[in-house]
Amino acid sequence: NKHLNPGEKKMRNQSTKSTQQNAAKIAGISYLLVLIIPMLAGIFIDPMITVEGDLRTTAQNILANHVLFNLSNAINLLMFTGVVILALALYQILKPVNKQLAALALVWRLMEAIIGCLGVLCSLAAFRLLRGENFTNLFGQEQLEAMVGFLLDSYWTVTIIVFVFLALGSIICFYLFHKSNYIPKFLSIWGMISYSLVLIGAFISILFSNDAYMYLGAQAILFEVVIGLWLLIRGINEEVTLSPAE
């Protein structure tokens, strides 16, 4: 950068800002899709499948509504694909602020997606066990139900771990947003507080085996709608001057 003349530096800065604005639009869309699509599945599909505390009825519902069950799994896979796109877009926006921290946030959000896909794998494995008559003959009905129950429980356990990596990566992202002034201060502070609560809820659930992660995680829904719309419509503040990442 030191060997660039003023005109070249200006062109490079303009190119960086254009790339960041495009990434901001992608991040905004990703925030909304990653939130809205799974939420619709949770509202309209999950109640038809899951009966809390009744594994046998849940298993019967999975078999009776296997298309919806597989649709729910497909939606979750699409959601985690969206998380990867979101993570890459946020990295593109924030790497001029602090490349190392932006990369760490990227790694944690990618871990969120990888672990989330493992949860979907548990769900698909449970369905495979239920559909296979050979498995019933091999293990017996009670043992088979125990294995299916373990896999379905593992899905929700994995979800708690997903929340941990979601929170860790997001706290760093909104710290960098706060440092850069790319978005209004109140949004970056709201983001740090919101995802800190998500992290606290996840650790409470790990320690005490309860649903704290769901209750403390739910408050982040409003924030993700707001930040998604902000990045999609307003983008980031172009008046901020930062040196491009090496």
Side-chain angles (χ1 to χ4, degrees), residues 208-225:
F208 301 105
S209 300
N210 58 27
D211 294 333
Y213 77 100
M214 296 181 65
Y215 299 118
L216 288 178
Q219 52 76 36
I221 293 174
L222 176 59
F223 173 75
E224 292 196 347
V225 171

Side-chain angles (χ1 to χ4, degrees), residues 74-225:
I75 287 172
N76 284 329
L77 287 176
L78 286 174
M79 175 184 69
F80 291 117
T81 302
V83 168
V84 173
I85 294 171
L86 172 60
L88 291 170
L90 290 172
Y91 174 73
Q92 191 67 44
I93 297 167
L94 297 169
K95 69 178 180 179
V97 186
N98 186 310
K99 191 172 184 178
Q100 290 72 30
L101 284 179
L104 180 59
L106 172 63
V107 168
W108 276 338
R109 293 305 303 260
L110 292 179
M111 287 296 296
E112 170 197 345
I114 292 168
I115 294 171
C117 287
L118 290 177
V120 176
L121 182 61
C122 288
S123 182
L124 291 172
F127 176 68
R128 175 69 176 157
L129 284 173
L130 287 172
R131 284 292 298 270
E133 293 183 3
N134 292 335
F135 292 120
T136 304
N137 297 331
L138 181 62
F139 297 110
Q141 188 64 32
E142 289 188 4
Q143 189 174 359
L144 183 66
E145 288 181 359
M147 292 171 64
V148 170
F150 172 76
L151 288 169
L152 294 177
D153 286 344
S154 295
Y155 171 84
W156 292 109
T157 301
V158 165
T159 301
I160 299 173
I161 308 302
V162 164
F163 272 49
V164 171
F165 286 101
L166 159 66
L168 289 172
S170 298
I171 290 168
I172 291 179
C173 285
F174 287 99
Y175 164 74
L176 294 177
F177 272 124
H178 186 266
K179 184 179 178 181
S180 67
N181 293 316
Y182 282 152
I183 61 175
K185 291 289 187 184
F186 83 90
L187 279 178
S188 56
I189 292 171
W190 183 7
M192 287 188 285
I193 293 172
S194 183
Y195 289 110
S196 293
L197 291 174
V198 172
L199 185 61
I200 291 169
F203 278 117
I204 290 174
S205 291
I206 291 170
L207 290 171
F208 301 105
S209 300
N210 58 27
D211 294 333
Y213 77 100
M214 296 181 65
Y215 299 118
L216 288 178
Q219 52 76 36
I221 293 174
L222 176 59
F223 173 75
E224 292 196 347
V225 171

Side-chain angles (χ1 to χ4, degrees), residues 49-51 54-62:
I49 304 293
T50 304
V51 179
D54 191 339
L55 174 61
R56 182 161 295 181
T57 302
T58 297
Q60 291 172 351
N61 289 342
I62 289 172

